[in-house]
Amino acid sequence: MSVMNEPTVDFHLKLNEQQFHIPNELLKRNLKQCQKLIDKEATALEKSFEELDRLVRNPQNDESSMALLNEIIQKVERLERKLTKRVNVELQLLQRIDARIKYYQQLDQIKQSGDRNRLLEWYQSYTNLLISDYLTRNSMYEGEDDISCSSTPPPARLKRKLSSASSQLTTATSNNDPDRSHVNPGVEYLKQQGLDLLLDYDILLTTNRISKQLTINHELGPLLDWIKENATYLKHTSSMLEFEARFQEYIEYVKVEDYSKAITCFQTHLVKFLYSNPLDLQQAAGLLVFIKACKSNISSYVPTPRHEEIVKQQTLLQSKEDFWSFFFLKLPKSSKKDHKTNIEVKNNELAASVDIKRYMELLDDRRWEKLNEMFLKAYYSMYGISYHDPLLIYLSLGISSLKTKDCLHERRAFVSPNNELSEFLSSEVLRNACPVCSPEFAPIAQKLPYAHQVQSRLFENPVMLPSGNVYDAEKLKALAQTLRKRKLVVMGEDEVLDPIAGHTYALTDFITMYPT
């Protein structure tokens, strides 16, 4: 690792700013919760002392005074326990910050000493930290298999608040329980390496649980609890996460035909978004009407209906029989009509006269992925966490320094009747050992810019064959000699083989190439 390519300590600090931002935000939250707790208990104690003063003035109230005094003592003891818990949370957060400061101070000392071995050890530990972060974010959360495989649906709401500092630290501590069968592999690996103070894995575990509940179990309870707890922040950032979550809740009720709860959800949670999302609410109301048509996979629609079709649509639900036939699939008792075919015709005409496709899109499960993405952006933004995995960011930095315009272009040998020849050309001649082109890194490298190459990497003697492929002349001659020696191809001493095109050319066909 050369000094020129070695990033500075400031570079690492800027990329890992979240390591200090997260505990700082948790400290602020913990302080606010402490202050709120003190104000609440102080007000209650003040009222209790006033009541005690009133009772003490009358000697006949000694028994009541003693009972109230004992109650006050119990309140003070409870307050002391709660404050002690908050203090412990603060100490843990300060311990994290101190460990991270020392971690980067150690890097600075290693750089100043010039000890290469210690520097490699530091980077090895940092790589382990990045791997732990990636595993914690993307692994299955504890108990996920039980939830997804159980026949009993998960609870609608989680009573425990998931994003408070104390609850997260408590949850993270509970992961040390050896009796638990499901442990996040990222957290387990982090603790094995002794790096648990360098990563706020409790924050990542919370987002992991909520995210997996959305994408795997299609459960809104944990997300709605988190939205309720962080309503102030979401309102401050003008986030539409609450609307999308409640909209999805409404859709789920409509899917199972629980229209009573769907209407209650609409009136309680969605109506307040009337001015910000009028078209969405209009679509939500329409879904309630056309859910039967959507479930029947009726996708025929007229994008731009003609005037006569609009008039026809307006006359479909004009009579009492029309409403009964569409919503209840039967006619009212007072109706004299008893032909089922009339009901089916009316329903089909109504379904065909509206744009069903936009309602079908509301039932698409891909909405859960979009909701999850919106949640992750809001959650990471609140704590100042990078939306992209730090491991992938560092890999991208390294890959972009290696990527050239020749990368990600697959070169295949021609298909030959001689399997031995094809195997030799594919495995030994055209084998690509470039890390950028490897199956593991190619998806990351696709959208990265090319590296700025200060040195030419052209062949010593580049030549172009009539096929248009460019090779090094000496390497082509060496390849031809190897093929003749192995008796894989029959050709003359003055001939070479194009390993990509599969054609044989004479040495006189070489076209010398010159860099411009």
Side-chain angles (χ1 to χ4, degrees):
M1 186 181 299
S2 65
V3 178
M4 182 183 68
N5 296 327
E6 167 61 17
T8 63
V9 178
D10 289 341
F11 173 83
H12 287 291
L13 287 173
K14 288 179 180 179
L15 278 182
N16 295 279
E17 185 179 358
Q18 64 186 35
Q19 289 187 348
F20 299 94
H21 184 77
I22 295 175
N24 181 56
E25 287 297 318
L26 292 177
L27 282 173
K28 291 180 181 179
R29 285 193 168 206
N30 191 58
L31 180 61
K32 289 181 180 179
Q33 291 170 353
C34 282
Q35 191 60 49
K36 186 183 297 185
L37 176 63
I38 292 173
D39 293 342
K40 179 181 177 181
E41 295 296 333
T43 302
L45 287 174
E46 185 178 354
K47 293 181 180 179
S48 298
F49 278 117
E50 290 177 357
E51 178 67 17
L52 181 62
D53 289 339
R54 186 183 64 80
L55 293 175
V56 168
R57 293 190 186 97
N58 188 350
Q60 297 180 356
N61 295 329
D62 289 347
E63 186 175 348
S64 300
S65 300
M66 291 298 297
L68 181 58
L69 183 60
N70 289 331
E71 183 180 343
I72 292 175
I73 294 174
Q74 292 176 0
K75 286 183 179 180
V76 173
E77 290 177 348
R78 285 197 298 269
L79 175 61
E80 184 179 3
R81 288 195 296 269
K82 292 179 180 179
L83 290 177
T84 301
K85 183 179 179 181
R86 295 294 176 187
V87 170
N88 291 335
V89 170
E90 182 172 350
L91 291 176
Q92 291 183 47
L93 293 172
L94 292 175
Q95 187 180 9
R96 291 184 183 184
I97 296 176
D98 182 63
R100 294 166 194 187
I101 292 175
K102 291 180 179 178
Y103 187 68
Y104 290 102
Q105 285 178 342
Q106 180 187 14
L107 174 62
D108 188 43
Q109 294 172 0
I110 293 174
K111 284 179 174 292
Q112 292 179 5
S113 66
D115 191 333
R116 180 181 177 84
N117 292 330
R118 290 182 61 198
L119 184 61
L120 291 176
E121 290 177 0
W122 189 92
Y123 273 108
Q124 180 62 55
S125 69
Y126 185 71
T127 303
N128 294 335
L129 183 63
L130 294 177
I131 294 173
S132 300
D133 178 279
Y134 182 84
L135 292 175
T136 305
R137 288 180 183 231
N138 299 284
S139 298
M140 309 290 268
Y141 63 89
E142 294 91 337
E144 183 173 71
D145 294 337
D146 297 337
I147 294 177
S148 60
C149 298
S150 174
S151 59
T152 305
R157 295 292 179 93
L158 293 180
K159 295 181 180 179
R160 179 172 53 83
K161 293 185 177 181
L162 291 175
S163 61
S164 63
S166 59
S167 65
Q168 287 170 340
L169 290 174
T170 303
T171 305
T173 306
S174 66
N175 290 334
N176 293 323
D177 187 358
D179 296 332
R180 299 200 62 165
S181 57
H182 300 280
V183 180
N184 186 289
V187 177
E188 188 174 8
Y189 181 71
L190 192 70
K191 293 180 178 180
Q192 288 176 355
Q193 300 297 321
L195 302 172
D196 48 305
L197 291 178
L198 302 179
L199 181 66
D200 299 288
Y201 56 87
D202 41 10
I203 298 292
L204 299 179
L205 285 176
T206 298
T207 184
N208 192 337
R209 290 190 187 95
I210 299 177
S211 176
K212 292 298 187 292
Q213 286 280 15
L214 290 174
T215 56
I216 296 178
N217 298 324
H218 293 178
E219 169 60 34
L220 287 166
L223 175 61
L224 293 176
D225 281 346
W226 184 85
I227 290 174
K228 182 178 180 181
E229 184 181 352
N230 298 279
T232 303
Y233 170 79
L234 295 175
K235 183 178 180 180
H236 178 72
T237 57
S238 302
S239 173
M240 297 306 298
L241 179 60
E242 181 183 1
F243 171 77
E244 293 296 337
R246 292 297 182 182
F247 194 11
Q248 189 63 38
E249 182 184 26
Y250 169 83
I251 292 173
E252 294 304 309
Y253 284 135
V254 175
K255 279 184 180 179
V256 297
E257 299 183 8
D258 193 342
Y259 301 125
S260 176
K261 289 185 178 179
I263 294 174
T264 301
C265 176
F266 189 96
Q267 294 174 338
T268 307
H269 303 293
L270 293 180
V271 169
K272 61 183 179 181
F273 296 99
L274 179 62
Y275 295 103
S276 59
N277 300 78
L279 296 179
D280 292 321
L281 293 186
Q282 183 180 3
Q283 193 174 6
L287 179 64
L288 195 64
V289 176
F290 298 108
I291 183 62
K292 292 183 177 65
C294 293
K295 283 191 171 183
S296 301
N297 294 323
I298 299 177
S299 58
S300 59
Y301 65 96
V302 182
T304 54
R306 295 186 294 273
H307 175 71
E308 58 270 17
E309 293 173 340
I310 296 177
V311 174
K312 180 180 178 181
Q313 176 183 344
Q314 294 173 346
T315 60
L316 287 175
L317 294 179
Q318 294 295 322
S319 64
K320 181 179 180 181
E321 288 82 1
D322 294 338
F323 281 96
W324 272 76
S325 64
F326 182 78
F327 287 105
F328 305 109
L329 297 180
K330 63 180 181 179
L331 295 173
K333 295 181 179 180
S334 59
S335 176
K336 297 180 180 180
K337 300 179 181 180
D338 57 354
H339 298 289
K340 187 176 181 180
T341 55
N342 185 56
I343 298 176
E344 295 176 351
V345 170
K346 283 286 186 180
N347 289 338
N348 292 335
E349 288 179 351
L350 181 62
S353 63
V354 295
D355 186 356
I356 295 297
K357 183 178 179 181
R358 61 184 183 136
Y359 297 110
M360 295 290 292
E361 291 175 352
L362 296 179
L363 307 181
D364 195 338
D365 284 344
R366 285 178 294 183
R367 284 184 55 87
W368 289 98
E369 296 292 340
K370 295 179 181 178
L371 181 61
N372 177 60
E373 184 178 352
M374 183 178 291
F375 158 69
L376 291 178
K377 289 182 178 179
Y379 189 93
Y380 289 150
S381 176
M382 183 175 69
Y383 287 106
I385 305 175
S386 171
Y387 179 76
H388 301 285
D389 297 321
L391 176 63
L392 300 184
I393 293 176
Y394 270 85
L395 287 176
S396 300
L397 293 174
I399 292 172
S400 62
S401 65
L402 300 174
K403 183 179 178 182
T404 66
K405 293 186 178 181
D406 190 51
C407 291
L408 305 179
H409 297 291
E410 187 177 4
R411 295 179 298 177
R412 294 184 178 180
F414 72 99
V415 179
S416 171
N418 187 344
N419 294 332
E420 187 178 356
L421 173 61
S422 298
E423 178 65 23
F424 173 76
L425 293 177
S426 299
S427 61
E428 298 189 31
V429 179
L430 297 178
R431 182 176 62 87
N432 190 354
C434 173
V436 179
C437 302
S438 65
E440 294 79 11
F441 294 138
I444 303 176
Q446 283 180 351
K447 297 183 180 180
L448 294 178
Y450 296 110
H452 177 63
Q453 301 292 332
V454 296
Q455 294 180 347
S456 175
R457 299 182 183 275
L458 290 175
F459 301 129
E460 292 294 333
N461 186 17
V463 294
M464 184 175 69
L465 298 179
S467 62
N469 296 322
V470 179
Y471 302 97
D472 182 79
E474 297 303 323
K475 290 183 178 180
L476 272 181
K477 295 175 183 178
L479 173 62
Q481 185 177 359
T482 302
L483 293 176
R484 285 192 295 268
K485 185 177 180 180
R486 294 192 179 189
K487 298 181 180 180
L488 296 175
V489 177
V490 178
M491 56 184 175
E493 291 292 335
D494 60 343
E495 291 181 328
V496 295
L497 175 70
D498 185 338
I500 296 178
H503 302 304
T504 302
Y505 299 103
L507 297 179
T508 55
D509 292 331
F510 284 1
I511 302 175
T512 304
M513 303 295 294
Y514 298 96
T516 57

